[in-house]
Amino acid sequence: MTPDQIPAATTPIPHSPHSVARPAIGGGRGGKRQPRRMPPRPNQALRPRSGSAKALPALESGNIRIIPLGGVEEVGKNMTAVEYEGDILVVDMGFTFPNDDTPGVDYIIPDATYLETNKHRIKGVIITHAHLDHIGGIPYIMPKIGNPPLYTTLLSAVMIKKRQEEFPQLPALDIQTIEPHQHLTLGHFKIRFFTVTHTIPDSFGVIIDTPYGNLIFTGDIKIDTKDNIPVESEFKTFEKLGKEKTLLLVAESTNVEKPGFSYPEREVQENLRQIIADVPGRIVIGTFASMFERIVYMVQASENLGKKVVIEGRSMRNNVEIAKELGILKVRKETIIPAEQIGDYPENKIVILATGAQGDEFAALMRMSTKEHKHVKLKKGDTILLSSSVIPGNEKSVQKLKDNLSRQGAKIIHYGIADVHSSGHSYQGELEWIHKMLKPKFFIPVHGHHSMLRVHADMAVRLGVEEKNAIVPDNGMVIEIADQGGRIFAHKETVSSKVVMVDGLGAGNVQEVVIRDRQALAQDGMFVIIAMVDLKTGQVRKSPDIISRGFIYLKESQDLLRQVRSQIKKVIEDSTRQMNPINFDYVKNAIREDVGKYLFQKTHKRPIILPVLIEV
Amino acid sequence: MTPDQIPAATTPIPHSPHSVARPAIGGGRGGKRQPRRMPPRPNQALRPRSGSAKALPALESGNIRIIPLGGVEEVGKNMTAVEYEGDILVVDMGFTFPNDDTPGVDYIIPDATYLETNKHRIKGVIITHAHLDHIGGIPYIMPKIGNPPLYTTLLSAVMIKKRQEEFPQLPALDIQTIEPHQHLTLGHFKIRFFTVTHTIPDSFGVIIDTPYGNLIFTGDIKIDTKDNIPVESEFKTFEKLGKEKTLLLVAESTNVEKPGFSYPEREVQENLRQIIADVPGRIVIGTFASMFERIVYMVQASENLGKKVVIEGRSMRNNVEIAKELGILKVRKETIIPAEQIGDYPENKIVILATGAQGDEFAALMRMSTKEHKHVKLKKGDTILLSSSVIPGNEKSVQKLKDNLSRQGAKIIHYGIADVHSSGHSYQGELEWIHKMLKPKFFIPVHGHHSMLRVHADMAVRLGVEEKNAIVPDNGMVIEIADQGGRIFAHKETVSSKVVMVDGLGAGNVQEVVIRDRQALAQDGMFVIIAMVDLKTGQVRKSPDIISRGFIYLKESQDLLRQVRSQIKKVIEDSTRQMNPINFDYVKNAIREDVGKYLFQKTHKRPIILPVLIEV
């Protein structure tokens, strides 16, 4: 066996689709679709994602830095660092779910390298609410940044602790529960909070006092309205804030491209109550476990209507348990029943709340739709209410869910045909209202893809922010307020902002090359060639062996295999003739090229070819 | 080398995620997401996809069969067979694009097994219009069903021929060009046509005369309206048809869940004209090459506005060429200029039509957005108009495109913020109007997912079709009109309706196991183990070799590799002790199980493990 085989296995670069080995294989792709590759990182060409080579200048006294570390080139994994007088404050610590570009990956978390390097200066972490795009990164990042104290409201604290139970090996978090009216001093930071409307209770925005005015972080926010006019309580909150000076507004942008006002949650809830009251038989309601307020409302409403509630799905059950513990949900013991007791009540007394409205393969709703649910067998007369939108990327799985449900004869009500869902994020009309109420001098849009942040910045400028004072950030950008609040600018220097993947137990050390190989394997599979070569003569002993997966159905391709084997023998013997000693790397490259060309010609597929030469 | 290695390679079943080998590996998945698997085929459990075991009864004289072979459990790959007095007529022959469930696959085509078996009875194929979901399957299916004569209108004929040039090895098609007012007799079929509004000229619906009334196939159809009232020409067509007796309506369902009326294409075009007239600088318009009429309109409008047009993208260039050849587009020679001449004209005289509005990685628009386009460098002052919707599943790539475009400083106009796109498929309002005009006795909804067809059937019943007369089909279902047009029913027996994949050069012989392996490889990669075993003693010679791709980054996992190697050695030597002769299958299974368990414990990943034992 050649000594280079182990390094070859652990240095996969030559076999990745963009390395030298691949273009050499075929004779052009003949118009056929190219293998997928990592997402083009548009600004990767402009700046290094691992932070700029030149050191960031030290922060002058009196200046303030805002460093978005996640959530500004995507929807998800929100995390922002604020720096002032040598102290660092972190706002939120989320994660996001992977997409087609990152197969096999569990989560993507913000790059916390800058915080790791400066962990001695971190005075605290503030979590604005308990959704995963704001708390998901905690178990992965907190241990690396010295586990600083974490400040949040009661419900969020309980939910963070509950989630942390899944990571028993981690040190306990230092969670400090705050009240929204509380003032907090962390190092040089003077911090206040304001309650905001979202889809989970105890959500708040953050105010950092500076000598030059307030820095306001909205967190996730919608505005409660009636007939597109903010209700009294919203008006009071923002009127009060507006009377103070807003130096900087950092506002979310999730729905900035949607005109008008988001449908009020209150009205969604009333519509749901009406449907629950009116259905002739059983009703199964699918929604996100994260719609905490709505779930609490539906349980309460069902009880008021004299119905029994079944909760299906672990995350939803957890949330209902927490809501009961904290007194957010007050129901009689007998209202929530286990699924096995469904048959004990009349059909029109049964309300089933279930996870899986996104077509999640193993969630309660999908199991009902495929007749795999142990206790809930759907039939004609049942109503399915999907109280959720379709998250981009989930269209196909939601369609599958609807098809399967439809085959059971159930009637389906979804947000495309009735007002049974509303987003927790402000639409244009609400965002404009926030801008008008707060009249910020400086503006940074966050929580959105670049094009959305750009639309939000344009809105701010249209509403009065000077163009130079609205900065569209990238992850890792260092934005500074200087000259006693007189000027805002982005440094040329950046901090590290790589795509950090949680992949099984490995967090942060997944290399792009592994992902690229997964993509290549998914497209064309692989083709391992094992040949025994006489070290003296270069002759191949026996017929070479082939192992292939994900390429073509070899059982029906015996001719192709026979030809490949004889071709391999020929390549090895031709290339080793007159060669002494045998250069095994050279021979392996020749096999890769030759067999690759041959397989492409015969199949128009390009499997990863892995030659193994065994010296005998 | 053991003789079983080659069969192992070509019988991949034991290594697929659902086979016996996998569950044995770990100790439960510990709440971690499961590997993805093939889409649940909801009705696979109910009936065999390869057609029913029991033979379909022979068709009685006077009865009519409708057999949807594609397009009724999906949007795409439309194909329907009609059978009467021993003759078969085929309507449309499309394909569809693969999704996440079918990685690496090029296209999915209808299962034509039934047509192959009965090819001597096929009298002709009618193609209603030249979109890929109606013509895409032609090169793959026509050769297998005896290349029967194909009937279609002029534009479609030219486009089919153009596409067929990519398949020079195939026998020439026998294409007969028809006029919409023409009558056609094919065997016992008496056929007429009616022109329909869609997004490509020369689209038509099909009428088959029977002694009991008309069978009407709408094809893809929208209704041209003004203020939600069908225009005169539509009214005339359907009034005439309505006066005859409609025995059966077979209508498309793509937009059946959208309330109201689709925005009229005429008004979209007028809006586009206005934007092209008003932009201060260059305008780049991204749309689907399939929006044939709109593209023709935009070229014409640009010329009328004194502007030059650049066409970027092969498919769009092809279509414009065809439109010019057929006289559908009449422009002066100097109106369409090559991209290199962009600089020769003032910026506000430049209109660029480009493919890639779906974020297609290598299309013109994406290359512009990533600064990789040779001639078009975007800048502030440019306007990008995305005259397209986002096809479900493409949200992420379209978002990437918008982000990249936004970074170039261009202004983006898209259908979310302006009426610059409209679908070519009827909304609810239009479908209801069609039903009311035609008053069918029997109804079969087609072109849609099951839940959409169900909604369409419910609509038909609401509008007067008897419930037993509206049949929601599956692919392969055999629907029969019997008793002199008195009764419609679906046979229990079905014809073959498998998922037929075009994968490189292999069409139809891609096995599910290959796809499952691709999915498993994409999730967790693979891990090949090569060990030399002394045939006499069972001792392992040298340290086993490992090749892995797509699993973890092995370069940083040398400890893990060392431990795996010593574990492999131990497993082999333990399991071969006292074994004579050595059962290599047993040993390989032991390695798979043991190493799999170990790797999962250490990484929470489950690579496909492929042990190779070499006898020495």
Tab-separated table of all heavy atoms in Angstrom, chain A residues 1 5 9 15 37 42 101 104 361 395 400 403 451 503 505 518 545-546 549-550 603 605 614, chain B residues 1 5 9 15 37 101 104 361 395 400 403-404 407 451 503 505 518 545-546 549-550 603 605 614:
chain	number	residue	atom	x	y	z
A	1	MET	N	0.852	-1.199	0.000
A	1	MET	CA	0.000	0.000	0.000
A	1	MET	C	0.886	1.246	0.000
A	1	MET	O	1.859	1.316	0.731
A	1	MET	CB	-0.884	-0.023	1.235
A	1	MET	CG	-2.006	0.952	1.152
A	1	MET	SD	-3.215	0.634	2.436
A	1	MET	CE	-3.901	-0.920	1.911
A	5	GLN	N	-1.688	7.091	0.867
A	5	GLN	CA	-3.138	6.928	0.839
A	5	GLN	C	-3.861	7.579	1.998
A	5	GLN	O	-4.965	8.069	1.849
A	5	GLN	CB	-3.494	5.454	0.772
A	5	GLN	CG	-3.704	5.055	-0.672
A	5	GLN	CD	-3.772	3.585	-0.840
A	5	GLN	OE1	-4.058	2.866	0.099
A	5	GLN	NE2	-3.515	3.132	-2.025
A	9	ALA	N	-6.765	10.566	1.884
A	9	ALA	CA	-8.095	10.481	2.479
A	9	ALA	C	-8.399	11.702	3.332
A	9	ALA	O	-9.525	12.144	3.424
A	9	ALA	CB	-8.187	9.229	3.332
A	15	HIS	N	-10.178	16.346	-4.721
A	15	HIS	CA	-11.339	15.691	-5.290
A	15	HIS	C	-12.586	16.545	-5.237
A	15	HIS	O	-13.638	16.099	-5.632
A	15	HIS	CB	-11.592	14.377	-4.555
A	15	HIS	CG	-10.364	13.559	-4.479
A	15	HIS	ND1	-9.823	12.982	-5.586
A	15	HIS	CD2	-9.539	13.278	-3.443
A	15	HIS	CE1	-8.714	12.338	-5.236
A	15	HIS	NE2	-8.526	12.510	-3.943
A	37	ARG	N	-22.657	24.059	-6.265
A	37	ARG	CA	-21.497	24.385	-5.456
A	37	ARG	C	-21.925	25.266	-4.304
A	37	ARG	O	-23.096	25.613	-4.184
A	37	ARG	CB	-20.432	25.070	-6.293
A	37	ARG	CG	-20.949	26.314	-6.978
A	37	ARG	CD	-19.833	26.974	-7.772
A	37	ARG	NE	-20.303	28.246	-8.257
A	37	ARG	CZ	-19.657	28.978	-9.147
A	37	ARG	NH1	-18.525	28.567	-9.652
A	37	ARG	NH2	-20.145	30.121	-9.536
A	42	PRO	N	-21.403	36.813	-2.063
A	42	PRO	CA	-21.200	37.976	-2.907
A	42	PRO	C	-20.097	38.911	-2.429
A	42	PRO	O	-19.376	39.475	-3.224
A	42	PRO	CB	-22.557	38.667	-2.876
A	42	PRO	CG	-23.292	38.056	-1.729
A	42	PRO	CD	-22.742	36.692	-1.558
A	101	ASP	N	-27.738	24.436	0.412
A	101	ASP	CA	-26.311	24.688	0.187
A	101	ASP	C	-25.451	24.052	1.260
A	101	ASP	O	-24.233	24.017	1.128
A	101	ASP	CB	-26.041	26.195	0.161
A	101	ASP	CG	-26.674	26.850	-1.049
A	101	ASP	OD1	-26.683	26.211	-2.116
A	101	ASP	OD2	-27.144	27.985	-0.928
A	104	GLY	N	-26.756	18.092	5.226
A	104	GLY	CA	-26.301	17.303	6.366
A	104	GLY	C	-26.024	18.112	7.608
A	104	GLY	O	-25.806	17.557	8.674
A	361	GLU	N	-41.271	16.004	8.504
A	361	GLU	CA	-41.566	14.613	8.190
A	361	GLU	C	-42.044	13.784	9.377
A	361	GLU	O	-42.876	12.919	9.232
A	361	GLU	CB	-40.324	13.968	7.572
A	361	GLU	CG	-40.662	12.657	6.885
A	361	GLU	CD	-39.485	12.137	6.088
A	361	GLU	OE1	-38.513	12.886	5.860
A	361	GLU	OE2	-39.529	10.958	5.725
A	395	GLU	N	-42.124	24.809	0.760
A	395	GLU	CA	-43.323	24.699	-0.082
A	395	GLU	C	-43.642	23.252	-0.430
A	395	GLU	O	-44.782	22.824	-0.387
A	395	GLU	CB	-43.155	25.493	-1.381
A	395	GLU	CG	-43.152	26.989	-1.202
A	395	GLU	CD	-41.814	27.481	-0.686
A	395	GLU	OE1	-40.866	26.668	-0.599
A	395	GLU	OE2	-41.711	28.669	-0.356
A	400	LYS	N	-46.952	18.425	0.196
A	400	LYS	CA	-47.091	16.987	0.465
A	400	LYS	C	-48.049	16.758	1.636
A	400	LYS	O	-48.907	15.893	1.592
A	400	LYS	CB	-45.718	16.401	0.818
A	400	LYS	CG	-45.200	15.419	-0.198
A	400	LYS	CD	-43.796	14.955	0.184
A	400	LYS	CE	-42.779	15.526	-0.778
A	400	LYS	NZ	-41.396	15.342	-0.317
A	403	ASP	N	-51.563	17.420	0.512
A	403	ASP	CA	-52.032	16.321	-0.340
A	403	ASP	C	-52.437	15.116	0.509
A	403	ASP	O	-53.497	14.531	0.314
A	403	ASP	CB	-50.938	15.888	-1.320
A	403	ASP	CG	-50.725	16.921	-2.425
A	403	ASP	OD1	-51.594	17.792	-2.587
A	403	ASP	OD2	-49.694	16.848	-3.113
A	451	SER	N	-30.848	42.619	0.426
A	451	SER	CA	-31.777	43.435	-0.365
A	451	SER	C	-32.893	44.004	0.514
A	451	SER	O	-33.405	45.095	0.259
A	451	SER	CB	-32.356	42.626	-1.527
A	451	SER	OG	-33.330	41.713	-1.073
A	503	ASP	N	-22.591	20.497	12.976
A	503	ASP	CA	-22.739	19.309	12.149
A	503	ASP	C	-22.496	18.106	13.039
A	503	ASP	O	-21.361	17.745	13.307
A	503	ASP	CB	-21.694	19.380	11.023
A	503	ASP	CG	-21.819	18.242	10.028
A	503	ASP	OD1	-22.928	18.022	9.530
A	503	ASP	OD2	-20.793	17.595	9.739
A	505	LEU	N	-21.735	16.425	16.272
A	505	LEU	CA	-21.094	16.969	17.467
A	505	LEU	C	-20.064	18.032	17.128
A	505	LEU	O	-19.537	18.704	18.000
A	505	LEU	CB	-20.426	15.851	18.271
A	505	LEU	CG	-21.382	14.858	18.924
A	505	LEU	CD1	-20.611	13.867	19.759
A	505	LEU	CD2	-22.408	15.580	19.783
A	518	ARG	N	-20.122	16.663	-0.037
A	518	ARG	CA	-21.510	16.184	0.130
A	518	ARG	C	-22.358	16.573	-1.081
A	518	ARG	O	-23.173	15.800	-1.557
A	518	ARG	CB	-22.138	16.774	1.399
A	518	ARG	CG	-21.613	16.130	2.656
A	518	ARG	CD	-22.324	16.649	3.897
A	518	ARG	NE	-21.551	16.309	5.085
A	518	ARG	CZ	-21.691	16.877	6.268
A	518	ARG	NH1	-22.598	17.827	6.442
A	518	ARG	NH2	-20.946	16.510	7.279
A	545	ASP	N	-11.186	-4.035	-8.353
A	545	ASP	CA	-12.464	-4.060	-7.657
A	545	ASP	C	-13.105	-2.680	-7.682
A	545	ASP	O	-12.415	-1.666	-7.644
A	545	ASP	CB	-12.236	-4.470	-6.203
A	545	ASP	CG	-12.991	-5.730	-5.902
A	545	ASP	OD1	-13.926	-6.017	-6.667
A	545	ASP	OD2	-12.642	-6.403	-4.927
A	546	ILE	N	-14.427	-2.652	-7.699
A	546	ILE	CA	-15.135	-1.365	-7.783
A	546	ILE	C	-16.239	-1.318	-6.743
A	546	ILE	O	-17.017	-2.269	-6.599
A	546	ILE	CB	-15.721	-1.177	-9.202
A	546	ILE	CG1	-14.562	-0.860	-10.170
A	546	ILE	CG2	-16.753	-0.056	-9.215
A	546	ILE	CD1	-14.903	-1.084	-11.608
A	549	ARG	N	-21.532	4.061	-5.014
A	549	ARG	CA	-22.818	4.390	-4.398
A	549	ARG	C	-23.316	5.707	-4.991
A	549	ARG	O	-22.535	6.641	-5.198
A	549	ARG	CB	-22.676	4.601	-2.888
A	549	ARG	CG	-22.403	3.361	-2.082
A	549	ARG	CD	-23.626	2.459	-1.973
A	549	ARG	NE	-23.348	1.278	-1.165
A	549	ARG	CZ	-22.684	0.217	-1.607
A	549	ARG	NH1	-22.238	0.179	-2.848
A	549	ARG	NH2	-22.456	-0.809	-0.810
A	550	GLY	N	-24.603	5.803	-5.223
A	550	GLY	CA	-25.216	7.067	-5.642
A	550	GLY	C	-24.875	7.506	-7.053
A	550	GLY	O	-25.177	8.623	-7.452
A	603	THR	N	-22.255	7.937	-19.297
A	603	THR	CA	-23.408	8.175	-18.418
A	603	THR	C	-23.788	9.638	-18.267
A	603	THR	O	-24.854	9.948	-17.746
A	603	THR	CB	-23.112	7.661	-16.988
A	603	THR	OG1	-22.062	8.470	-16.434
A	603	THR	CG2	-22.672	6.208	-16.987
A	605	LYS	N	-22.559	11.443	-16.111
A	605	LYS	CA	-22.450	11.704	-14.679
A	605	LYS	C	-20.963	11.794	-14.321
A	605	LYS	O	-20.124	11.223	-15.008
A	605	LYS	CB	-23.077	10.568	-13.850
A	605	LYS	CG	-24.519	10.217	-14.163
A	605	LYS	CD	-25.552	11.216	-13.735
A	605	LYS	CE	-25.706	11.423	-12.261
A	605	LYS	NZ	-26.714	12.486	-11.970
A	614	ILE	N	-2.928	-0.925	-4.307
A	614	ILE	CA	-2.334	-1.759	-3.272
A	614	ILE	C	-1.092	-2.428	-3.843
A	614	ILE	O	-1.172	-3.116	-4.867
A	614	ILE	CB	-3.351	-2.796	-2.779
A	614	ILE	CG1	-4.500	-2.031	-2.091
A	614	ILE	CG2	-2.713	-3.776	-1.817
A	614	ILE	CD1	-5.708	-2.862	-1.818
B	1	MET	N	-8.673	-11.202	-2.468
B	1	MET	CA	-9.903	-10.397	-2.473
B	1	MET	C	-11.113	-11.322	-2.483
B	1	MET	O	-11.136	-12.303	-3.203
B	1	MET	CB	-9.900	-9.509	-3.716
B	1	MET	CG	-10.947	-8.434	-3.665
B	1	MET	SD	-10.613	-7.208	-4.921
B	1	MET	CE	-9.093	-6.490	-4.355
B	5	GLN	N	-17.125	-9.077	-3.376
B	5	GLN	CA	-17.034	-7.623	-3.369
B	5	GLN	C	-17.715	-6.962	-4.542
B	5	GLN	O	-18.258	-5.882	-4.413
B	5	GLN	CB	-15.580	-7.189	-3.301
B	5	GLN	CG	-15.202	-6.948	-1.861
B	5	GLN	CD	-13.726	-6.832	-1.664
B	5	GLN	OE1	-13.010	-6.516	-2.594
B	5	GLN	NE2	-13.276	-7.090	-0.484
B	9	ALA	N	-20.869	-4.209	-4.473
B	9	ALA	CA	-20.860	-2.873	-5.068
B	9	ALA	C	-22.105	-2.638	-5.906
B	9	ALA	O	-22.610	-1.539	-5.984
B	9	ALA	CB	-19.631	-2.705	-5.936
B	15	HIS	N	-26.811	-1.050	2.196
B	15	HIS	CA	-26.221	0.154	2.762
B	15	HIS	C	-27.154	1.349	2.716
B	15	HIS	O	-26.794	2.431	3.114
B	15	HIS	CB	-24.927	0.484	2.024
B	15	HIS	CG	-24.037	-0.699	1.939
B	15	HIS	ND1	-23.433	-1.217	3.039
B	15	HIS	CD2	-23.692	-1.491	0.896
B	15	HIS	CE1	-22.728	-2.284	2.686
B	15	HIS	NE2	-22.874	-2.482	1.395
B	37	ARG	N	-35.315	10.918	3.486
B	37	ARG	CA	-35.570	9.743	2.690
B	37	ARG	C	-36.474	10.106	1.533
B	37	ARG	O	-36.886	11.249	1.394
B	37	ARG	CB	-36.187	8.650	3.554
B	37	ARG	CG	-37.480	9.094	4.211
B	37	ARG	CD	-38.079	7.979	5.032
B	37	ARG	NE	-39.374	8.387	5.491
B	37	ARG	CZ	-40.066	7.738	6.406
B	37	ARG	NH1	-39.563	6.662	6.963
B	37	ARG	NH2	-41.248	8.154	6.772
B	101	ASP	N	-35.804	15.902	-3.167
B	101	ASP	CA	-35.975	14.470	-2.933
B	101	ASP	C	-35.284	13.623	-3.990
B	101	ASP	O	-35.180	12.411	-3.835
B	101	ASP	CB	-37.465	14.109	-2.924
B	101	ASP	CG	-38.177	14.719	-1.733
B	101	ASP	OD1	-37.550	14.783	-0.662
B	101	ASP	OD2	-39.330	15.137	-1.879
B	104	GLY	N	-29.350	15.194	-7.920
B	104	GLY	CA	-28.528	14.769	-9.042
B	104	GLY	C	-29.311	14.427	-10.292
B	104	GLY	O	-28.735	14.248	-11.355
B	361	GLU	N	-27.948	29.656	-11.288
B	361	GLU	CA	-26.569	30.023	-10.972
B	361	GLU	C	-25.759	30.529	-12.161
B	361	GLU	O	-24.930	31.410	-12.012
B	361	GLU	CB	-25.868	28.830	-10.325
B	361	GLU	CG	-24.598	29.236	-9.617
B	361	GLU	CD	-24.017	28.082	-8.814
B	361	GLU	OE1	-24.734	27.095	-8.601
B	361	GLU	OE2	-22.850	28.183	-8.435
B	395	GLU	N	-36.894	30.184	-3.675
B	395	GLU	CA	-36.864	31.395	-2.857
B	395	GLU	C	-35.437	31.790	-2.478
B	395	GLU	O	-35.065	32.958	-2.544
B	395	GLU	CB	-37.663	31.211	-1.566
B	395	GLU	CG	-39.151	31.092	-1.752
B	395	GLU	CD	-39.561	29.731	-2.240
B	395	GLU	OE1	-38.687	28.840	-2.306
B	395	GLU	OE2	-40.740	29.555	-2.582
B	400	LYS	N	-30.772	35.347	-3.095
B	400	LYS	CA	-29.350	35.550	-3.356
B	400	LYS	C	-29.151	36.497	-4.537
B	400	LYS	O	-28.330	37.399	-4.499
B	400	LYS	CB	-28.696	34.195	-3.688
B	400	LYS	CG	-27.692	33.730	-2.660
B	400	LYS	CD	-27.157	32.350	-3.036
B	400	LYS	CE	-27.651	31.307	-2.078
B	400	LYS	NZ	-27.443	29.924	-2.538
B	403	ASP	N	-30.008	39.985	-3.464
B	403	ASP	CA	-28.947	40.528	-2.603
B	403	ASP	C	-27.758	40.980	-3.447
B	403	ASP	O	-27.228	42.072	-3.263
B	403	ASP	CB	-28.480	39.471	-1.600
B	403	ASP	CG	-29.517	39.213	-0.513
B	403	ASP	OD1	-30.439	40.034	-0.378
B	403	ASP	OD2	-29.390	38.198	0.187
B	404	ASN	N	-27.353	40.101	-4.363
B	404	ASN	CA	-26.194	40.433	-5.198
B	404	ASN	C	-26.472	41.654	-6.066
B	404	ASN	O	-25.621	42.533	-6.208
B	404	ASN	CB	-25.824	39.243	-6.086
B	404	ASN	CG	-25.281	38.074	-5.282
B	404	ASN	OD1	-25.007	38.209	-4.093
B	404	ASN	ND2	-25.141	36.931	-5.915
B	407	ARG	N	-26.371	44.767	-4.028
B	407	ARG	CA	-24.997	45.197	-3.704
B	407	ARG	C	-24.348	45.980	-4.839
B	407	ARG	O	-23.411	46.736	-4.620
B	407	ARG	CB	-24.124	43.982	-3.386
B	407	ARG	CG	-24.366	43.424	-2.000
B	407	ARG	CD	-23.489	42.243	-1.698
B	407	ARG	NE	-23.949	41.560	-0.499
B	407	ARG	CZ	-23.644	41.943	0.747
B	407	ARG	NH1	-22.844	42.974	0.945
B	407	ARG	NH2	-24.129	41.292	1.779
B	451	SER	N	-54.178	18.061	-3.452
B	451	SER	CA	-55.055	18.960	-2.687
B	451	SER	C	-55.663	20.036	-3.590
B	451	SER	O	-56.779	20.488	-3.363
B	451	SER	CB	-54.300	19.597	-1.511
B	451	SER	OG	-53.435	20.609	-1.943
B	503	ASP	N	-31.447	10.816	-15.656
B	503	ASP	CA	-30.278	11.055	-14.807
B	503	ASP	C	-29.052	10.868	-15.685
B	503	ASP	O	-28.629	9.741	-15.935
B	503	ASP	CB	-30.301	10.023	-13.664
B	503	ASP	CG	-29.185	10.234	-12.653
B	503	ASP	OD1	-29.037	11.361	-12.170
B	503	ASP	OD2	-28.465	9.262	-12.356
B	505	LEU	N	-27.294	10.155	-18.903
B	505	LEU	CA	-27.787	9.471	-20.099
B	505	LEU	C	-28.793	8.383	-19.761
B	505	LEU	O	-29.420	7.830	-20.647
B	505	LEU	CB	-26.622	8.855	-20.874
B	505	LEU	CG	-25.682	9.866	-21.525
B	505	LEU	CD1	-24.638	9.144	-22.358
B	505	LEU	CD2	-26.442	10.858	-22.389
B	518	ARG	N	-27.638	8.712	-2.590
B	518	ARG	CA	-27.240	10.122	-2.767
B	518	ARG	C	-27.687	10.956	-1.579
B	518	ARG	O	-26.959	11.820	-1.096
B	518	ARG	CB	-27.847	10.690	-4.057
B	518	ARG	CG	-27.147	10.180	-5.292
B	518	ARG	CD	-27.683	10.864	-6.550
B	518	ARG	NE	-27.284	10.098	-7.720
B	518	ARG	CZ	-27.845	10.189	-8.909
B	518	ARG	NH1	-28.851	11.041	-9.106
B	518	ARG	NH2	-27.417	9.468	-9.916
B	545	ASP	N	-6.607	0.954	5.927
B	545	ASP	CA	-6.638	2.230	5.230
B	545	ASP	C	-8.043	2.808	5.239
B	545	ASP	O	-9.025	2.060	5.186
B	545	ASP	CB	-6.221	2.006	3.779
B	545	ASP	CG	-4.986	2.793	3.490
B	545	ASP	OD1	-4.708	3.738	4.247
B	545	ASP	OD2	-4.302	2.474	2.516
B	546	ILE	N	-8.132	4.128	5.264
B	546	ILE	CA	-9.451	4.768	5.328
B	546	ILE	C	-9.551	5.851	4.270
B	546	ILE	O	-8.639	6.666	4.120
B	546	ILE	CB	-9.683	5.356	6.739
B	546	ILE	CG1	-9.942	4.199	7.714
B	546	ILE	CG2	-10.852	6.325	6.735
B	546	ILE	CD1	-9.737	4.557	9.141
B	549	ARG	N	-15.188	10.843	2.437
B	549	ARG	CA	-15.582	12.120	1.821
B	549	ARG	C	-16.922	12.548	2.405
B	549	ARG	O	-17.811	11.709	2.591
B	549	ARG	CB	-15.757	11.972	0.305
B	549	ARG	CG	-14.499	11.743	-0.480
B	549	ARG	CD	-13.642	12.988	-0.569
B	549	ARG	NE	-12.449	12.743	-1.354
B	549	ARG	CZ	-11.367	12.123	-0.908
B	549	ARG	NH1	-11.333	11.693	0.335
B	549	ARG	NH2	-10.325	11.951	-1.683
B	550	GLY	N	-17.080	13.843	2.647
B	550	GLY	CA	-18.377	14.389	3.047
B	550	GLY	C	-18.807	14.034	4.469
B	550	GLY	O	-19.933	14.291	4.851
B	603	THR	N	-19.236	11.508	16.711
B	603	THR	CA	-19.517	12.641	15.817
B	603	THR	C	-21.006	12.940	15.665
B	603	THR	O	-21.370	13.990	15.131
B	603	THR	CB	-18.988	12.350	14.397
B	603	THR	OG1	-19.732	11.249	13.849
B	603	THR	CG2	-17.513	11.990	14.413
B	605	LYS	N	-22.721	11.586	13.508
B	605	LYS	CA	-22.964	11.447	12.064
B	605	LYS	C	-22.969	9.956	11.726
B	605	LYS	O	-22.360	9.148	12.436
B	605	LYS	CB	-21.856	12.136	11.251
B	605	LYS	CG	-21.588	13.593	11.565
B	605	LYS	CD	-22.643	14.549	11.111
B	605	LYS	CE	-22.796	14.696	9.613
B	605	LYS	NZ	-23.925	15.658	9.322
B	614	ILE	N	-9.226	-7.464	1.923
B	614	ILE	CA	-8.366	-8.033	0.894
B	614	ILE	C	-7.643	-9.240	1.481
B	614	ILE	O	-6.961	-9.119	2.501
B	614	ILE	CB	-7.379	-6.958	0.392
B	614	ILE	CG1	-8.204	-5.851	-0.291
B	614	ILE	CG2	-6.360	-7.562	-0.554
B	614	ILE	CD1	-7.450	-4.608	-0.541
